[in-house]
C-alpha cells in the first residue's frame, strides 16, 4: 500500500472511532435525559451526529471513486446549494435565462474546468465571465425593476455556491513537491478542521457560553464557544500535520485561518438568513436545515486555504 | 405495453419533478383523509398536478386523478398519452358549446368509483399578480351532489418561479406543497359563501413569499 493509502486508512479509522464514540455518547444522553419526554438539545445533537455519518460516508465513497467522484460530489453540493440560495432571493421573470444559465451553463463549466485542470480560466471564469454575462442576459428583457439588486443577488449566489464550493475539489489540482498523489488528504484536512471547529464551538458554547458575540445574528454564538472552539480545532489541525505537506506549526497556523474564516462565514450566512427572514436555508436533511447550513463555514475557508497553499507550496 | 410505458413515464415525471424542486410536503396534524377526497389547489404552472401527485403517499397517489381541460390534453397524441394514460386525468370540456358530457357528472362518477381528485378551482392558470383568482363553481356543484366529500386545500409554493408561462427550461428551486385540514360543505350553505370559505382556507396556507419581493 502506498504512503497516501495507509495515511488515508489511518485517518478513516480515526474518524470512524470519533463518530462511534459520538454516537455512543449521544445514545447514552438520550437514554439518561430523555426519560421525561424528548430533549431538544440531545435530539439536535443526535441529528447532527447522523448528518456527520452521512457526510463521512459520502466523502469516503467519493475518495474511493477518485477525482471524478470528488468532482461529482461537490458539483452536486453546488447544485443543491445554488437551488437553496436562489429559492430565497428576489428574482423576476426577466431573470429566467440568467438563472437557467447559472445552473446549466456556469456550474457545469466551472466543474469541467476543474476536471481539465485549467487553473488560469477556472479562477476567473465566474468573477469575470459569469458576472458580466448574468446582467447582460437579464437586461435583454428590458425589465429594470430593482435591477442592481437582482444582478447582485444572482452573482452572490454563484460566488458562494459555485465559486467558493468548487475550491474544495480544486485542492486536487495543486502540484506540491513530495506530496504527489496525496492531495485528497488536503480536502480531508480542510473538511475535518472546519467541521471540528463548528462542533467544538458548539460544545464549548453549550458548556461555558456566557457572552454573546452577535446576539442579533446568531443567538448561539458566544465568545467562550468561539475562543474554545477555534483554539481546540487549531490544536487538532496542528496534530494532523502528518496528512499534509506542512510542518506542525504551519498546519496549526493554517487551521487557525481556516477556523477563523469558517466562523466569520457562518456569521455572514446567518446575516443573509436573517435578511430573508428564514431560520434555515432549506430542508435537504429532514429536520435540521439545508445543505448551506452545513456548508457555510467550508464555503468561506475553502478559497482562502486553496490560495494560501497554492501560493506557498504549489508549483502549478 | 402501453400501460407499462405509461407507468415508466409516470415514474420519470415524478423523479424529474423531485430532482428539480426537491419538493417537500407539509401535512396537516391529523394527516390526510383515508376515504376518497378532493384536493383543491392554486394553479400557476402546468406542473402543478405533477407536484401534488409526486408528494402524495404511493397508496393514495395511485387512486388520485387530476381534473384537467380536455381541449389541451387531447390536442396531440403526446398530450393525450400523458393526460389520459400516464396521469389518468378526468378530462372535462371547458367550452360549453363543445360539451358532450357533463363535467360534474364525470367527476361524481370518478369519486363514486373510489378515486380522489386533484382540482384547480381557479379554472385556469393564474398569470396575474394576485395570489389566487376567484373560484369557478364546479367544486360547489360537485359537493352539492356529494356533500359527504372531504375537501383538502393544497397550496403549491414556488412552482410558478420554476417554470413561468412560455419558458421551456425549468429553474431548479425548492418547492413546498402544503396540505390543510379537510373541509366539508355546511348544510344549506349557499354557493357564494361556500366558494369564498374554500378560497380563504386555501389562501390561509400560502406562506409569505420568500424571494418574490414580499
Amino acid at each position: 500500500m502506498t504512503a497516501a493509502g495507509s495515511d488515508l486508512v489511518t485517518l478513516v479509522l480515526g474518524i470512524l472511532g470519533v463518530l462511534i464514540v459520538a454516537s455512543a455518547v449521544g445514545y447514552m444522553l438520550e437514554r439518561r435525559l430523555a426519560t421525561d419526554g424528548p430533549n431538544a438539545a440531545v435530539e439536535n445533537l443526535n441529528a447532527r451526529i447522523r448528518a456527520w455519518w452521512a457526510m463521512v460516508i459520502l466523502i469516503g465513497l467519493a475518495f474511493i471513486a477518485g477525482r471524478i467522484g470528488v468532482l461529482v460530489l461537490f458539483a452536486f453540493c453546488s447544485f443543491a446549494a445554488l437551488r437553496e440560495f436562489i429559492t430565497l432571493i428576489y428574482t423576476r421573470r426577466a431573470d429566467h435565462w440568467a438563472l437557467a444559465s447559472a445552473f446549466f451553463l456556469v456550474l457545469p463549466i466551472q466543474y469541467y474546468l476543474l476536471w481539465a485542470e485549467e487553473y488560469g480560466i477556472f479562477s476567473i471564469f465566474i468573477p469575470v465571465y459569469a458576472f458580466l454575462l448574468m446582467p447582460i442576459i437579464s437586461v435583454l428583457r428590458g425589465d429594470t425593476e430593482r435591477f442592481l439588486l437582482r444582478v447582485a443577488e444572482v452573482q452572490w449566489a454563484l460566488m458562494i455556491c459555485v465559486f467558493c464550493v468548487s475550491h474544495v475539489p480544486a485542492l486536487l489540482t495543486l502540484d506540491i513537491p513530495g506530496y504527489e498523489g496525496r492531495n485528497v488528504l488536503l480536502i480531508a484536512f480542510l473538511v475535518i478542521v472546519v467541521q471540528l471547529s463548528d462542533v467544538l464551538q458548539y460544545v464549548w458554547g453549550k458548556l461555558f457560553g456566557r457572552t454573546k458575540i452577535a446576539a442579533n445574528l446568531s443567538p448561539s454564538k458566544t465568545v467562550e464557544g468561539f475562543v474554545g472552539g477555534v483554539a481546540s480545532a487549531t490544536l487538532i489541525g496542528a496534530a494532523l500535520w502528518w496528512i499534509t505537506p506542512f510542518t506542525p506549526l504551519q498546519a496549526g497556523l493554517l487551521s487557525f485561518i481556516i477556523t477563523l474564516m469558517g466562523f466569520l462565514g457562518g456569521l455572514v450566512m446567518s446575516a443573509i438568513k436573517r435578511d430573508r427572514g428564514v431560520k434555515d436555508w432549506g430542508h435537504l436533511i429532514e429536520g435540521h436545515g439545508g445543505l448551506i447550513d452545513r456548508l457555510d463555514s467550508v464555503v468561506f475557508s475553502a478559497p482562502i486555504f486553496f490560495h494560501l497553499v497554492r501560493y506557498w507550496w504549489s508549483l502549478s | 405495453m402501453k400501460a407499462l410505458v405509461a407507468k415508466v413515464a409516470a415514474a420519470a415525471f415524478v423523479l424529474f419533478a423531485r430532482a428539480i424542486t426537491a419538493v417537500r410536503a407539509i401535512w396537516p396534524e391529523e394527516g390526510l383523509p383515508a376515504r376518497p377526497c378532493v384536493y383543491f389547489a392554486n394553479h400557476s404552472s402546468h406542473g402543478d398536478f405533477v407536484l401534488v401527485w409526486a408528494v402524495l403517499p404511493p397508496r393514495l397517489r395511485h387512486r388520485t386523478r387530476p381534473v384537467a381541460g380536455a381541449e389541451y390534453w387531447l390536442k396531440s397524441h403526446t398530450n393525450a398519452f400523458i393526460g389520459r394514460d400516464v396521469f389518468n386525468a378526468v378530462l372535462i370540456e371547458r367550452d360549453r358549446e363543445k360539451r358532450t358530457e357533463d363535467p360534474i357528472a364525470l367527476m361524481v362518477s370518478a369519486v363514486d368509483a373510489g378515486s380522489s381528485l386533484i382540482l384547480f378551482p381557479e379554472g385556469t392558470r393564474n398569470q396575474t399578480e394576485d395570489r389566487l383568482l376567484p373560484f369557478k363553481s364546479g367544486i360547489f356543484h360537485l359537493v352539492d351532489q356529494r356533500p359527504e366529500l372531504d375537501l383538502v386545500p393544497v397550496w403549491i409554493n414556488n412552482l410558478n418561479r420554476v417554470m413561468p408561462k412560455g419558458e421551456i427550461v425549468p429553474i431548479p428551486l425548492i418547492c413546498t406543497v402544503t396540505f390543510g385540514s379537510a373541509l366539508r360543505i355546511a348544510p344549506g350553505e349557499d354557493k357564494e359563501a361556500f366558494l369564498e370559505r374554500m378560497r380563504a382556507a386555501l389562501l390561509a396556507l400560502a406562506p409569505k413569499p420568500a424571494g418574490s419581493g414580499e
Side-chain angles (χ1 to χ4, degrees):
Chain A
M1 188 180 278
T2 61
S6 74
D7 278 356
L8 196 56
V9 169
T10 315
L11 192 67
V12 166
L13 290 178
I15 292 169
L16 290 182
V18 170
L19 280 180
I20 289 168
V21 170
S23 294
V25 169
Y27 178 72
M28 268 163 24
L29 283 175
E30 197 172 277
R31 303 273 328 243
R32 188 168 302 170
L33 294 178
T35 42
D36 32 58
N39 179 310
V42 174
E43 279 196 3
N44 184 265
L45 177 74
N46 284 329
R48 281 169 187 244
I49 293 172
R50 280 194 295 276
W52 298 326
W53 273 107
M55 192 158 31
V56 166
I57 290 169
L58 270 177
I59 295 182
L61 287 175
F63 280 2
I64 291 169
R67 202 158 71 96
I68 190 78
V70 174
L71 283 178
V72 167
L73 175 67
F74 283 93
F76 172 76
C77 288
S78 279
F79 174 82
L82 192 61
R83 184 168 60 186
E84 286 175 2
F85 203 112
I86 291 185
T87 298
L88 289 186
I89 68 177
Y90 175 76
T91 62
R92 290 171 66 85
R93 285 285 308 277
D95 300 317
H96 195 87
W97 280 103
L99 295 171
S101 50
F103 278 100
F104 301 119
L105 207 63
V106 177
L107 193 157
I109 291 178
Q110 177 76 354
Y111 281 88
Y112 169 76
L113 294 174
L114 268 187
W115 169 253
E117 307 203 7
E118 294 284 352
Y119 173 79
I121 180 82
F122 159 78
S123 59
I124 61 156
F125 172 65
I126 286 177
V128 176
Y129 290 90
F131 279 17
L132 294 177
L133 182 73
M134 295 286 117
I136 292 174
I137 298 177
S138 286
V139 87
L140 287 179
R141 293 248 182 119
D143 181 354
T144 56
E145 177 86 23
R146 294 211 250 174
F147 186 71
L148 180 59
L149 180 80
R150 281 155 48 206
V151 169
E153 289 192 331
V154 179
Q155 289 184 336
W156 243 71
L158 274 180
M159 174 77 187
I160 294 285
C161 305
V162 185
F163 186 75
C164 288
V165 172
S166 70
H167 278 74
V168 182
L171 290 165
L172 293 182
T173 65
L174 295 176
D175 183 8
I176 301 166
Y179 196 66
E180 290 81 7
R182 306 184 53 175
N183 286 26
V184 86
L185 289 168
L186 275 181
I187 297 183
F189 177 74
L190 172 67
V191 173
I192 290 171
V193 171
V194 167
Q195 293 298 328
L196 275 181
S197 166
D198 277 1
V199 174
L200 291 167
Q201 282 177 38
Y202 174 82
V203 172
W204 282 88
K206 279 267 174 249
L207 293 178
F208 306 104
R210 298 279 179 276
T211 333
K212 292 201 186 342
I213 284 186
N216 56 348
L217 275 181
S218 177
S220 59
K221 286 194 167 64
T222 60
V223 175
E224 293 79 1
F226 168 66
V227 173
V230 167
S232 45
T234 300
L235 285 176
I236 296 173
L240 282 174
W241 97 94
W242 52 276
I243 64 167
T244 71
F246 323 128
T247 67
L249 182 66
Q250 290 165 340
L253 259 176
L254 284 167
S255 300
F256 179 68
I257 295 168
I258 290 171
T259 52
L260 213 56
M261 285 308 295
F263 171 79
L264 296 171
L267 276 189
V268 171
M269 300 310 275
S270 294
I272 298 177
K273 283 192 287 190
R274 284 289 145 118
D275 175 40
R276 303 313 305 163
V278 295
K279 204 177 136 286
D280 292 315
W281 281 97
H283 301 272
L284 189 77
I285 320 156
E286 196 70 44
H288 41 119
L291 187 68
I292 302 183
D293 293 292
R294 284 281 153 275
L295 273 183
D296 53 5
S297 33
V298 183
V299 161
F300 274 62
S301 46
I304 304 291
F305 178 64
F306 172 85
H307 283 286
L308 289 175
V309 177
R310 182 171 182 277
Y311 189 79
W312 271 294
W313 279 274
S314 174
L315 293 177
S316 61
Chain B
M1 185 61 198
K2 199 173 181 184
L4 182 70
V5 176
K7 220 171 189 171
V8 172
F13 272 112
V14 169
L15 198 68
F16 180 71
R18 284 184 176 279
I20 292 292
T21 66
V23 60
R24 191 168 60 96
I26 301 166
W27 309 108
E29 252 171 52
E30 70 275 16
L32 293 174
R35 298 187 308 118
C37 62
V38 174
Y39 304 99
F40 66 100
N42 58 317
H43 196 16
S44 54
S45 158
H46 273 315
D48 282 335
F49 70 83
V50 183
L51 220 55
V52 176
W53 212 68
V55 296
L56 283 174
R59 73 195 154 79
L60 297 181
R61 184 192 302 163
H62 294 310
R63 43 192 176 87
T64 301
R65 304 175 63 186
V67 178
E71 75 284 355
Y72 178 82
W73 289 103
L74 295 179
K75 204 160 60 182
S76 70
H77 280 299
T78 319
N79 283 18
F81 175 72
I82 294 173
R84 233 189 229 151
D85 299 301
V86 178
F87 293 110
N88 190 20
V90 178
L91 295 177
I92 57 173
E93 182 55 67
R94 277 183 291 199
D95 189 346
R96 281 173 190 278
E97 312 282 303
K98 294 186 195 158
R99 254 174 215 168
T100 52
E101 279 173 298
D102 175 26
I104 307 300
L106 282 174
M107 288 191 255
V108 168
S109 68
V111 170
D112 288 346
S115 294
S116 291
L117 302 177
I118 301 173
L119 197 65
F120 300 102
E122 292 167 275
T124 183
R125 277 181 296 150
N126 181 1
Q127 312 287 353
T128 69
E129 295 291 311
D130 298 336
R131 304 211 78 183
L132 207 53
L133 300 174
F135 280 10
K136 299 258 193 280
S137 55
I139 189 170
F140 172 78
H141 296 303
L142 175 61
V143 288
D144 198 33
Q145 295 194 25
R146 293 291 179 273
E148 299 295 291
L149 205 50
D150 283 317
L151 304 170
V152 179
V154 182
W155 186 269
I156 302 164
N157 198 45
N158 238 358
L159 195 63
N160 53 331
R161 283 175 75 208
V162 170
M163 205 148 163
K165 191 186 181 178
E167 304 291 354
I168 42 170
V169 179
I171 297 173
L173 292 172
I174 296 169
C175 295
T176 50
V177 178
T178 309
F179 292 80
S181 301
L183 306 162
R184 280 189 191 175
I185 189 166
E189 193 173 24
D190 75 4
K191 193 170 86 176
E192 305 329 309
F194 169 77
L195 290 179
E196 199 36 59
R197 188 161 67 90
M198 294 302 119
R199 193 166 172 271
L202 183 50
L203 266 177
L205 298 177
K208 279 201 207 100
S212 53
E214 282 77 57

